[in-house]
Amino acid sequence: NIFSYPSTFTVLFLQSFKALTMGVGSIMSAKKIILIATGKAKADAVKALVDGEVSPACPASILQFHRDTVIYLDKDAASLL
């Protein structure tokens, strides 16, 4: 969608209509995993991923067993660690 404002600027909103879903097996077979989490809303999930038990309640917790996972967090996402 494009919205034009008279002689000032144009705003373009891009919305994705496609998604990619991967199973745990496909993810775990990757050579390297890079996970990026930002914002306070992700803090509980990051804590469960890093410090929690591996559990279906936190699917990302399986990454504790991956041989090469790198996690990038901002301060808010890491605030409960």
Side-chain angles (χ1 to χ4, degrees), residues 62-75:
I62 194 72
L63 297 178
Q64 293 176 18
F65 295 126
H66 193 273
R67 65 188 171 280
D68 192 3
T69 299
V70 178
I71 302 172
Y72 294 98
L73 307 170
D74 66 5
K75 287 182 182 182

Side-chain angles (χ1 to χ4, degrees), residues 4-26:
S4 293
Y5 295 88
S7 69
T8 328
F9 55 90
T10 299
V11 178
L12 173 64
F13 293 96
L14 299 176
Q15 184 176 9
S16 175
F17 293 99
K18 296 182 181 180
L20 174 66
T21 302
M22 294 181 71
V24 173
S26 297

Side-chain angles (χ1 to χ4, degrees), residues 30-48:
K31 289 182 183 178
K32 182 177 196 92
I33 294 175
I34 298 172
L35 185 141
I36 301 170
T38 61
K40 189 74 173 167
K42 299 297 182 193
D44 286 328
V46 168
K47 173 111 174 114

